[in-house]
Amino acid sequence: MSLTYNSAINQLLGLADFERKSRAGEPPDFHLRRMEMLLALANNPHQGIPTVHIAGSKGKGSTAAMITSALGAAGLSVGLYTSPHLHAFNERIRIGLQPIEKPIFAALIQELWPLVLEIAQFGSYGTVSVFELLTAMAFVHFQRLQVAVQVIEAGLGGRLDATNVVSAQVAVLTPISMDHVHVLGNSLSKIASEKAGIIKPGTIAVTAPQTNEAMAVFQKVARDAGADLRESTCEVSLDAESTTNMSGHVARFVGRSGQYRACIPMLGAHQIENARTAVAALETLGELGHPVSSNSIETGLNRVQWPARSELLKYRGQRVLVDGAHNGASGRALAATLKRHFPDTNSYVLI
């Protein structure tokens, strides 16, 4: 009998879920051996698909959505895996920006569940977690649909994150800030070291603007791995005539391969930097044999949708800005957005 979506979610949540872990001071036992075993039992669906792997403290989801939107505008089939979800678990696994259908999501849980039980019976590595199963589901789905590119967002950290089983052609590092310190470390350099784990030999790494402390870590890791590290601000310049309004940002970027003018429908100056990082990653993909035209990049940035990231809504005649700011740096970015777009308005913050 086929699982319903609700039954599948109940089954999924019976696994260890570190995202909902109540004792935040007690870090889980992170390692990749259990994930590697799960994928081996599933015939390694993560291999053989060109991959963009994204890690960082903030801006990961927005940057991933921008890259996916542009690749889709170029006519490519793109698998997108992100976390957490906003409304429903199936939002984490997408083709383009469209979430996987709930019956397919449930069928994937049912299909992979025997592998989860097999690993539990094996005993050496503990039980599969919610995030590990979701990650495996994404890889199976993307392989089955033979996507041209998969864009994979790391969940927590990078080095020991379940997504770090991929061999990415392009690794993207969004801004690093103090985040998940009980697991990743209590300094920017320690956190950056964990995030830098997605930089591997043969990878081209694209980094957003970083603090000197974080950038020094990325430079060392890239140098030791023999990887090419590219700074988005050096790769892509921002035209001085870029403007902003209540609809978003009208910006012109000048990169290695072309010039791009787009109206990015997301508020906040930080979204301009996310877009610049996305453009640098897209141009790098072009160099590696996945060409994306200037028109596709512009169209992708114009059409990108990523709810609850500085999203302006109306409710009973009032303007409501919805944002998922989850740490100090994101909170400061949200405050700057409010000050810039609503300078003469009393703002009420609901948490």
Side-chain angles (χ1 to χ4, degrees), residues 12 113 129-130 147 153 160 176 189 225:
L12 175 70
W113 198 254
S129 70
V130 169
V147 298
E153 178 191 351
L160 297 179
I176 303 301
S189 61

Side-chain angles (χ1 to χ4, degrees), residues 16 75 86 90 100 163 199 233:
L86 182 60
N90 65 311
I100 185 175
T163 63
I199 301 175
T233 52

Side-chain angles (χ1 to χ4, degrees), residues 141-153:
H141 189 58
F142 299 158
Q143 182 197 56
R144 192 158 290 161
L145 295 185
Q146 298 183 318
V147 298
V149 180
Q150 57 186 7
V151 179
I152 307 295
E153 178 191 351

Side-chain angles (χ1 to χ4, degrees), residues 5-187:
Y5 176 76
N6 289 337
S7 296
I9 292 298
N10 289 334
Q11 190 164 303
L12 175 70
L13 292 179
L15 300 173
D17 187 356
F18 298 126
E19 293 178 10
R20 299 166 181 253
K21 193 174 178 67
S22 59
R23 291 177 291 179
E26 182 185 335
D29 178 23
F30 287 121
H31 58 75
L32 294 178
R33 296 184 297 277
R34 185 170 53 241
M35 188 67 197
E36 290 167 346
M37 185 176 183
L38 176 60
L39 292 174
L41 291 172
N43 297 317
N44 292 314
H46 60 300
Q47 297 177 353
I49 300 176
T51 303
V52 178
H53 197 190
I54 303 176
S57 300
K58 55 192 181 73
K60 293 183 296 180
S62 298
T63 304
M66 292 173 183
I67 292 171
T68 300
S69 185
L71 292 172
L76 298 175
S77 175
V78 187
L80 173 62
Y81 179 60
T82 61
S83 60
H85 56 276
L86 182 60
H87 297 294
F89 270 98
N90 65 311
E91 296 170 355
R92 299 187 182 213
I93 303 173
R94 300 170 183 251
I95 298 300
L97 298 180
Q98 184 65 36
I100 185 175
E101 294 179 3
K102 289 183 177 180
I104 299 176
F105 183 93
L108 284 167
I109 290 179
Q110 187 168 15
E111 176 184 346
L112 295 179
W113 198 254
L115 309 185
V116 173
L117 297 178
E118 184 173 345
I119 291 174
Q121 291 171 356
F122 182 72
S124 297
Y125 298 147
T127 58
V128 172
S129 70
V130 169
F131 187 75
E132 288 167 342
L133 180 54
L134 288 167
T135 304
M137 289 163 57
F139 290 139
V140 168
H141 189 58
F142 299 158
Q143 182 197 56
R144 192 158 290 161
L145 295 185
Q146 298 183 318
V147 298
V149 180
Q150 57 186 7
V151 179
I152 307 295
E153 178 191 351
L156 176 64
R159 182 176 64 93
L160 297 179
D161 187 78
T163 63
N164 203 29
V165 292
V166 297
S167 297
Q169 290 183 298
V170 181
V172 178
L173 295 154
T174 64
I176 303 301
S177 58
M178 299 300 288
D179 193 27
H180 299 294
V181 295
H182 63 289
V183 174
L184 303 179
N186 59 1
S187 70

